[in-house]
Amino acid sequence: TNKQIQLKWMDQSHSNVNTNISLAQFSYNVLLMDSYSTDYYDIAYPGLIMKLHLTRQIGYHIVQTYIPSAVFVVLAWLSLFIPAESVPGRVGMGMTTLLTLTAMFSAVRQNVPRVSYISFLDIWMLICMLFVFSCILEFIIATVFIRSGKKSQGDKFEFICKICLPIIFIIFNTCYWPILMAGYADGK
């Protein structure tokens, strides 16, 4: 009870807190708040408030996730420059990039805390997988055009996709990064 024990934080000069603690993915701030006593029991009990604020360090994920996944999107786009008649090369390159991104997404999900909402990292990985899948889908559509005797339409479709897919990815990036950095600057 409050009569038997009083709790109070020590001064920082007398504290035993290790200031050299570091976390690979987070920066942190510890706030030692005032003491309190409960008033919702029959007897009032003392307590202390400590707030721990974690902020994810973006640099870790830029190197480990964002850059490699963007490279795989570019590789998938480059597969559009392989002739549509070269089925093994296009299928192999498309499927390899898609499977690699899927494995990367799974590894990323295991290394970040589980949350009940969709994070910016989830959006990034899903959009990257969508772009890689769209390159595979483009190949399927172009192959259908070519095999049905409409080679000129298939070539035109491929040309449009070679231009549109990177432009759409650049537009996505111009929207995504300012929103991400604004949220990061606000500490969200």
Side-chain angles (χ1 to χ4, degrees):
T1 66
N2 283 336
K3 293 178 184 178
Q4 295 171 327
I5 189 169
Q6 292 289 321
L7 297 176
K8 183 178 154 187
W9 291 110
M10 287 193 277
D11 292 335
Q12 290 290 351
S13 60
H14 294 83
S15 175
N16 259 355
V17 176
N18 185 353
T19 57
N20 295 324
I21 294 174
S22 65
L23 301 170
Q25 296 182 34
F26 298 96
S27 60
Y28 67 93
N29 186 22
V30 178
L31 293 172
L32 305 177
M33 311 283 288
D34 291 334
S35 58
Y36 71 95
S37 66
T38 61
D39 56 358
Y40 41 86
Y41 296 114
D42 292 340
I43 302 171
Y45 292 99
L48 294 172
I49 299 173
M50 177 180 81
K51 290 189 177 182
L52 181 62
H53 181 81
L54 295 173
T55 304
R56 192 180 312 264
Q57 292 182 358
I58 192 95
Y60 175 83
H61 286 290
I62 285 176
V63 173
Q64 296 293 323
T65 306
Y66 287 109
I67 292 174
S69 57
V71 167
F72 285 119
V73 170
V74 171
L75 281 174
W77 174 69
L78 289 175
S79 74
L80 300 181
F81 291 93
I82 298 173
E85 294 80 15
S86 177
V87 175
R90 292 274 295 258
V91 171
M93 196 166 179
M95 291 306 295
T96 301
T97 53
L98 185 62
L99 291 173
T100 304
L101 265 179
T102 305
M104 180 187 282
F105 184 52
S106 177
V108 166
R109 294 292 295 156
Q110 289 179 357
N111 289 329
V112 296
R114 291 183 185 195
V115 291
S116 60
Y117 53 87
I118 296 175
S119 69
F120 281 112
L121 201 54
D122 294 334
I123 292 169
W124 174 264
M125 292 302 294
L126 291 173
I127 292 295
C128 285
M129 288 171 49
L130 183 69
F131 272 98
V132 171
F133 178 74
S134 66
C135 290
I136 296 171
L137 187 63
E138 180 277 336
F139 170 65
I140 293 169
I141 293 169
T143 302
V144 167
F145 277 132
I146 291 169
R147 292 198 177 172
S148 64
K150 301 175 184 173
K151 183 166 174 42
S152 63
Q153 284 180 315
D155 291 340
K156 186 176 180 180
F157 179 71
E158 277 206 301
F159 179 76
I160 291 169
C161 288
K162 285 177 187 177
I163 294 170
C164 289
L165 286 175
I167 290 172
I168 294 169
F169 191 64
I170 289 169
I171 291 170
F172 165 72
N173 276 285
T174 57
C175 296
Y176 178 85
W177 286 102
I179 293 169
L180 176 73
M181 296 313 284
Y184 181 71
D186 293 341
K188 293 180 181 176

